[in-house]
Amino acid sequence: MADPRQHVPGTDRVLAHPEVAAAAERLGRGLVKKAVHAAQQRARTGEIDASHVVAETLAGLPDSAASSRPVLNATGVLLHTNLGRAPLSRAAIDAMERAAGTTDVELDLDTGRRGPRGAAALAALCAAVPLAEAAHVVNNGAAALSLAATALAQGREIVLARGEMVEIGDGFRIPELLTATGARLHEVGTTNRVRLDDYRSAVGPDTGFVLKVHPSNFVITGFTSAVPVDALRGLGAPVVVDIGSGLLNPHPVLPQEPDATSTLADGADLVLASGDKLLGGPQAGLLLGRAEIVQQLRRHPLARAMRVDKLTLAALEATLRGPLTPTEQSLRRDQPSLLRRAESLATGFSAAGIPASAQCSEATVGGGGAPGVTLPSAAVVLPERFAELLRRGTPPVLACIARDRCLLDLAAVPPEHDDELRRAVLAAA
Ligand SMILES: *Cc1c(COP(=O)(O)O)cnc(C)c1O
């Protein structure tokens, strides 16, 4: 038998094939070459025929030059940190695409002069929260906290209740972030209780600000007391409130979740929040409040190191001005319609011989929002082994395992993705 290696086409020849060349235009030469080399290797070992190297190369190409893949979120956790938190609205995605090239992010096209960066996004933020005299945006909630701590309390004290010394996740602890900026923490109260007098005796000439942090991922019940924002005004120090989830106004489904408007109305001088939690936008840290404080933060040298990208500004503006976000739509889904979708999917699976049923379930907000709140939802129930098969499938589906069964919770799945979900399950079977 002839040595199969003699017939394996050379790299340049494969790369010159029109379809492979087109792929190189789209994905870059490096990625395509990798696929060519893998195909050649398989031909050399005799695994495939040498005449199939081009086809094998094309089959081995990735969909995109970036390796991150869309994943269907069937976990029942609306804002899943491992899945990138809030999915963006179509309007926000379009805005990012338009901003991706050269764009007027910092140019006034009328005068031809340099314009204020991201002015439209900031205006949209102030329009959504009229009580905010000014707004600023940085890279994420943690950056907003560090900017506030650095600009307002470096070398001074931040007064914070012990019950609000939160660890957000992945070992990220708010008290450690605050002290890393060179501010000192002045802890008040105990884990479960703090009173206005505790704050009053802590505030003094050395106080940079009083900080309230929303315990966004846990609840303390029982013998507890906290001091509301409106009681903290008038202590003689600015009141900064980290509300976490980025609700701009009270939400009917989440009445306990703090929002920027109410917090400012209660007398907060500065409110901090994330952009990619309940606001449903891109990763960002929002700072809203008194003009002179926001101005001080914006002028701080560190602000430049936390400056947001043009894509973020575009997505944020479109999130604020555009249609309901996918997150908001998830919050508004009603259980009967979720259950009907689950039943329809389950019926199709049963017809294909897959043991499936539909049941009511409970979804959560997740991602540092509305701790302890459950949202009435519905799920398709499959045998447990489906969880891994679906995670490794195309598109990958992340399910939830409960009591040895695989649950596909539909709260975070837009109805227009049901078909994709159906095909993923049929393929997994
Ligand atoms: C999520 C959260 C943060 C951190 O925000 P990131 O945008 O993740 O950096 C800070 N504080 C609170 C209360 C949060 O819930």
Side-chain angles (χ1 to χ4, degrees):
M1 192 181 125
D3 183 350
R5 277 168 296 191
Q6 285 174 355
H7 305 288
V8 174
T11 306
D12 286 343
R13 231 184 87 204
V14 182
L15 284 171
H17 185 279
E19 276 184 71
V20 179
E25 286 278 315
R26 195 165 48 82
L27 298 170
R29 234 175 123 80
L31 279 175
V32 174
K33 255 182 151 169
K34 237 175 103 180
V36 174
H37 291 159
Q40 288 169 322
Q41 188 54 31
R42 297 189 69 187
R44 280 187 204 108
T45 59
E47 216 179 310
I48 60 166
D49 195 87
S51 63
H52 291 162
V53 167
V54 167
E56 179 71 13
T57 297
L58 293 171
L61 288 173
D63 289 335
S64 151
S67 57
S68 74
R69 301 166 67 190
V71 177
L72 284 178
N73 176 9
T75 59
V77 180
L78 303 193
L79 302 166
H80 200 297
T81 301
N82 304 148
L83 296 179
R85 288 196 187 150
L88 293 181
S89 66
R90 189 68 248 166
I93 296 168
D94 289 346
M96 285 177 84
E97 203 170 318
R98 283 159 60 91
T102 43
T103 178
D104 61 349
V105 64
E106 221 172 297
L107 180 75
D108 182 334
L109 288 170
D110 285 330
T111 62
R113 299 230 174 89
R114 177 176 198 159
R117 185 181 176 85
L122 297 178
L125 206 45
C126 289
V129 186
L131 283 180
E133 293 171 9
H136 184 57
V137 182
V138 291
N139 280 323
N140 56 19
L145 261 177
S146 3
L147 184 57
T150 311
L152 307 175
Q154 194 167 53
R156 304 173 69 200
E157 287 186 354
I158 297 172
V159 177
L160 175 64
R162 290 198 168 88
E164 296 176 12
M165 300 180 69
V166 179
E167 174 169 323
I168 299 299
D170 198 23
F172 165 58
R173 294 176 166 169
I174 286 181
E176 290 174 0
L177 176 101
L178 295 172
T179 53
T181 68
R184 293 190 304 279
L185 275 191
H186 191 138
E187 302 171 20
V188 293
T190 60
T191 306
N192 54 328
R193 282 175 81 86
V194 63
R195 297 183 193 86
L196 183 57
D197 267 346
D198 296 321
Y199 284 100
R200 196 176 278 131
S201 44
V203 171
D206 217 20
T207 305
F209 59 87
V210 174
L211 177 64
K212 266 191 77 71
V213 177
H214 175 45
S216 57
N217 53 10
F218 66 97
V219 276
I220 298 189
T221 57
F223 186 54
T224 66
S225 70
V227 180
V229 173
D230 58 359
L232 293 174
R233 67 210 272 189
L235 290 182
V239 178
V240 177
V241 184
D242 176 7
I243 60 168
S245 72
L247 280 186
L248 300 182
N249 291 289
H251 198 289
V253 177
L254 306 169
Q256 302 300 321
E257 194 65 9
D259 66 276
T261 297
S262 312
T263 308
L264 289 169
D266 285 345
D269 297 287
L270 186 70
V271 171
L272 316 178
S274 299
D276 55 352
K277 295 181 181 172
L278 286 168
L279 182 63
Q283 180 187 302
L286 317 179
L287 302 113
L288 297 149
R290 291 226 328 264
E292 89 196 49
I293 292 185
V294 172
Q295 196 59 3
Q296 193 181 342
L297 301 180
R298 191 180 288 149
R299 293 245 168 88
H300 192 278
L302 212 57
R304 176 57 193 246
M306 302 172 176
R307 188 173 90 157
V308 281
D309 174 44
K310 60 184 177 179
L311 302 180
T312 302
L313 289 166
L316 181 62
E317 185 188 355
T319 299
L320 291 164
R321 295 202 197 272
L324 291 185
T325 63
T327 302
E328 183 57 33
Q329 291 180 17
S330 291
L331 284 172
R332 292 181 182 209
R333 272 182 199 121
D334 66 295
Q335 195 172 33
S337 67
L338 287 164
L339 191 57
R340 276 195 298 278
R341 287 169 55 201
E343 279 164 353
S344 153
L345 284 163
T347 307
F349 298 151
S350 304
I354 303 166
S357 60
Q359 67 170 44
C360 289
S361 62
E362 287 181 337
T364 57
V365 169
V373 173
T374 54
L375 306 162
S377 181
V380 179
V381 187
L382 296 170
E384 185 182 356
R385 67 192 168 85
F386 273 82
E388 190 188 337
L389 294 169
L390 286 167
R391 180 164 43 78
R392 292 164 169 276
T394 305
V397 177
L398 202 63
C400 156
I401 294 180
R403 283 191 248 123
D404 300 334
R405 292 168 318 159
C406 167
L407 297 191
L408 302 178
D409 192 295
L410 298 182
V413 180
E416 60 270 24
H417 287 175
D418 280 2
D419 256 350
E420 225 179 330
L421 185 59
R422 185 194 324 272
R423 284 197 300 273
V425 172
L426 295 175

CSV table of all heavy atoms in Angstrom, one decimal, residues 115 185 230 234 286 355:
chain,number,residue,atom,x,y,z
A,115,GLY,N,-16.0,66.5,22.1
A,115,GLY,CA,-17.2,66.6,22.9
A,115,GLY,C,-17.0,65.7,24.2
A,115,GLY,O,-16.1,64.9,24.3
A,185,LEU,N,-11.8,51.5,57.5
A,185,LEU,CA,-13.2,51.2,57.8
A,185,LEU,C,-13.5,51.5,59.2
A,185,LEU,O,-12.7,51.1,60.1
A,185,LEU,CB,-13.5,49.7,57.6
A,185,LEU,CG,-13.8,49.2,56.2
A,185,LEU,CD1,-14.2,47.8,56.2
A,185,LEU,CD2,-14.8,50.1,55.5
A,230,ASP,N,-32.9,57.4,54.9
A,230,ASP,CA,-33.4,58.7,55.3
A,230,ASP,C,-33.0,59.1,56.7
A,230,ASP,O,-33.0,60.3,57.0
A,230,ASP,CB,-34.9,58.8,55.0
A,230,ASP,CG,-35.7,57.8,55.8
A,230,ASP,OD1,-35.1,56.9,56.5
A,230,ASP,OD2,-36.9,57.8,55.7
A,234,GLY,N,-28.1,64.1,57.5
A,234,GLY,CA,-28.1,65.0,58.6
A,234,GLY,C,-27.1,64.6,59.7
A,234,GLY,O,-27.0,65.2,60.7
A,286,LEU,N,-22.6,52.2,37.8
A,286,LEU,CA,-23.3,53.5,37.6
A,286,LEU,C,-23.1,54.3,38.9
A,286,LEU,O,-23.2,53.8,40.0
A,286,LEU,CB,-24.8,53.3,37.4
A,286,LEU,CG,-25.1,52.2,36.4
A,286,LEU,CD1,-26.7,52.0,36.3
A,286,LEU,CD2,-24.5,52.5,35.0
A,355,PRO,N,-38.2,10.3,28.1
A,355,PRO,CA,-39.1,10.4,29.3
A,355,PRO,C,-39.1,11.9,29.8
A,355,PRO,O,-38.0,12.4,30.3
A,355,PRO,CB,-38.4,9.5,30.4
A,355,PRO,CG,-37.2,8.9,29.7
A,355,PRO,CD,-37.0,9.5,28.4
